[in-house]
């Protein structure tokens, strides 16, 4: 197909992982399994928090929001990829691509900001335990989540509007399994200098800001834990933030891995393979991390499991 300007873009082609027909059923089965586990695991976390009054705490409120965002985050990319495999079509409409890009950026930033808010929550819980419920009152918790949503929506809207200003050249082939912002912008025929500035500067600024907040919170948490005289007290204090620390490490390490992989390699298969870690694997593992490390959530999940088993016996 000859290159040229296509200002009336109708569709993009998502090339995915492999064009080998024999691998498509394997890829479809693998991603369907991971998607179902992700949705089921995060829904169980939300259900456990809603059903157990002991889990109606600020941290669990943020965790339930994180679980909801993880479901939405994975749902922006995986279902479309599964449909394309089943229909043997790689096409996604221009409108569908921009929409997918918007929601992907929205939920990615929400993950980022919610992890920072949860770090602040852990700081207050460990360093100011007597004032915890006063500081982290329901009104403040809702306000913090709303701020996360507003900033995320504005960022996703800005990036999407910037892409809408571009004209694209054929062939419109994206070497990814979803409409990734960087890949789409590189297909443009028009000048992308301003887009590149917005594309790289703002996400880095937001990510660094959130990470700085997390590091600041944990530096103060470490100082408070070191001041605790007993080893048992130190262990108990650290265990309250171990789950969050694990999720933060997983989220930022996989995100950094994707960034470095795309920066140092020109292999078209590397970006989609690396992106699987933070788009699918991380949301899938989060419920396991919190349920295994948090005794209250684990107990609530066991109660739900027992109730389901009892209902099944009745029928």
């Amino acid at each position: 197909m000859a290159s040229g300007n296509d200002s009336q873009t109708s569709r993009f082609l998502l090339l995915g992982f492999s064009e080998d027909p024999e691998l498509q059923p394997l890829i479809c089965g693998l991603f369907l399994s991971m998607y179902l586990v992700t949705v089921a695991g995060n829904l169980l976390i939300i259900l456990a928090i809603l059903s157990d009054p002991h889990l109606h705490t600020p941290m669990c409120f943020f965790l339930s929001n994180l679980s909801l965002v993880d479901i939405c985050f994975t749902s922006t990319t995986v279902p479309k990829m599964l449909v394309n495999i089943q229909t043997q079509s790689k096409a996604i409409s221009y409108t569908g691509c921009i929409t997918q890009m918007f929601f992907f950026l929205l939920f990615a930033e929400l993950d980022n900001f919610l992890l920072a808010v949860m770090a602040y929550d852990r700081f207050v819980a460990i360093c100011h335990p007597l004032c915890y419920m006063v500081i982290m009152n329901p009104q403040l918790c809702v306000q913090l989540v709303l701020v996360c949503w507003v900033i995320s929506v504005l960022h996703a809207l800005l990036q999407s509007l910037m892409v809408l200003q571009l004209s694209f050249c054929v062939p419109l082939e994206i070497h990814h399994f979803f409409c990734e912002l960087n890949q789409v912008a590189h297909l443009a025929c028009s000048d992308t200098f301003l887009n590149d500035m917005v594309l790289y500067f703002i996400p880095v600024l937001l990510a660094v800001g959130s990470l700085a907040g997390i590091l600041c919170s944990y530096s103060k948490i470490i100082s408070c834990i070191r001041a605790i005289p007993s080893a048992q007290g130190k262990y108990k204090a650290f265990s309250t933030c171990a789950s969050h620390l694990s999720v933060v490490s997983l989220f930022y390490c996989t995100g950094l891995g994707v960034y470095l992989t795309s920066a140092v390699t020109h292999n078209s298969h590397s970006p989609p393979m690396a992106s699987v870690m933070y788009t699918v694997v991380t949301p899938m593992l989060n419920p396991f991390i919190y349920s295994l490390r948090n005794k209250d959530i684990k107990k609530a999940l066991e109660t739900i499991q027992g109730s389901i088993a009892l209902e099944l016996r009745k029928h």
Side-chain angles (χ1 to χ4, degrees):
M1 189 180 292
S3 295
N5 185 277
D6 183 16
S7 58
Q8 301 299 320
T9 306
S10 60
R11 67 176 190 171
F12 292 90
L13 295 178
L14 298 172
L15 300 185
F17 298 98
S18 173
E19 296 184 16
D20 186 351
E22 295 180 359
L23 288 178
Q24 299 309 306
L26 176 63
I27 294 172
C28 183
L30 179 62
F31 274 83
L32 178 60
S33 300
M34 290 193 293
Y35 178 66
L36 292 176
V37 170
T38 300
V39 173
N42 283 287
L43 279 177
L44 280 173
I45 292 290
I46 295 171
L47 183 60
I49 291 171
L50 290 175
S51 62
D52 191 341
H54 294 98
L55 296 177
H56 293 175
T57 63
M59 184 59 176
C60 288
F61 171 72
F62 297 131
L63 176 57
S64 62
N65 277 272
L66 182 67
S67 294
L68 177 62
V69 168
D70 279 342
I71 292 172
C72 298
F73 185 43
T74 308
S75 298
T76 60
T77 57
V78 176
K80 176 58 181 175
M81 184 192 70
L82 296 175
V83 169
N84 281 5
I85 292 175
Q86 287 298 308
T87 58
Q88 298 182 350
S89 169
K90 297 180 182 294
I92 182 171
S93 68
Y94 177 74
T95 303
C97 188
I98 299 299
T99 303
Q100 186 184 63
M101 187 190 308
F102 170 82
F103 283 107
F104 179 83
L105 291 169
L106 168 64
F107 294 122
E109 284 301 337
L110 273 171
D111 256 340
N112 182 39
F113 289 129
L114 283 173
L115 289 174
V117 169
M118 292 168 79
Y120 174 71
D121 174 85
R122 292 300 82 200
F123 156 69
V124 176
I126 293 173
C127 298
H128 305 283
L130 298 180
C131 303
Y132 176 63
M133 295 306 297
V134 176
I135 297 173
M136 300 303 296
N137 58 76
Q139 184 179 358
L140 178 63
C141 292
V142 172
Q143 288 173 347
L144 288 172
V145 172
L146 284 176
V147 169
C148 293
W149 272 93
V150 169
I151 298 175
S152 300
V153 167
L154 291 176
H155 172 243
L157 188 60
L158 173 63
Q159 296 284 12
S160 301
L161 290 174
M162 293 294 291
V163 173
L164 285 173
Q165 306 305 312
L166 299 175
S167 296
F168 295 94
C169 295
V170 293
L172 300 172
E173 296 178 344
I174 301 173
H175 293 275
H176 222 302
F177 65 95
F178 67 95
C179 288
E180 198 268 332
L181 176 61
N182 189 38
Q183 297 262 344
V184 174
H186 284 168
L187 296 176
C189 297
S190 50
D191 181 27
T192 61
F193 176 76
L194 183 59
N195 287 75
D196 289 339
M197 292 294 292
V198 174
L199 171 65
Y200 291 106
F201 179 72
I202 295 182
V204 169
L205 181 65
L206 294 176
V208 169
S210 296
L211 186 58
I214 291 171
L215 293 176
C216 180
S217 295
Y218 273 102
S219 66
K220 294 181 179 181
I221 286 172
I222 291 171
S223 298
C224 291
I225 290 176
R226 289 179 63 186
I228 298 175
S230 67
Q232 185 179 0
K234 290 180 179 179
Y235 174 78
K236 186 178 180 180
F238 179 77
S239 64
T240 62
C241 56
S243 298
H244 176 258
L245 195 57
S246 300
V247 171
V248 166
S249 301
L250 187 62
F251 180 80
Y252 282 101
C253 287
T254 53
L256 182 62
V258 170
Y259 177 80
L260 293 176
T261 300
S262 61
V264 302
T265 181
H266 298 287
N267 184 351
S268 62
H269 294 290
S270 295
M273 290 300 294
S275 297
V276 171
M277 287 302 297
Y278 79 94
T279 58
V280 182
V281 176
T282 299
M284 181 181 69
L285 293 179
N286 285 353
F288 292 100
I289 293 172
Y290 276 102
S291 60
L292 291 174
R293 289 184 171 273
N294 190 305
K295 292 180 180 179
D296 291 332
I297 292 178
K298 189 175 181 180
K299 184 178 178 180
L301 289 172
E302 289 173 352
T303 302
I304 293 173
Q305 184 181 2
S307 300
I308 294 173
L310 186 61
E311 288 296 324
L312 289 175
R313 289 197 195 99
K314 288 180 180 180
H315 295 287

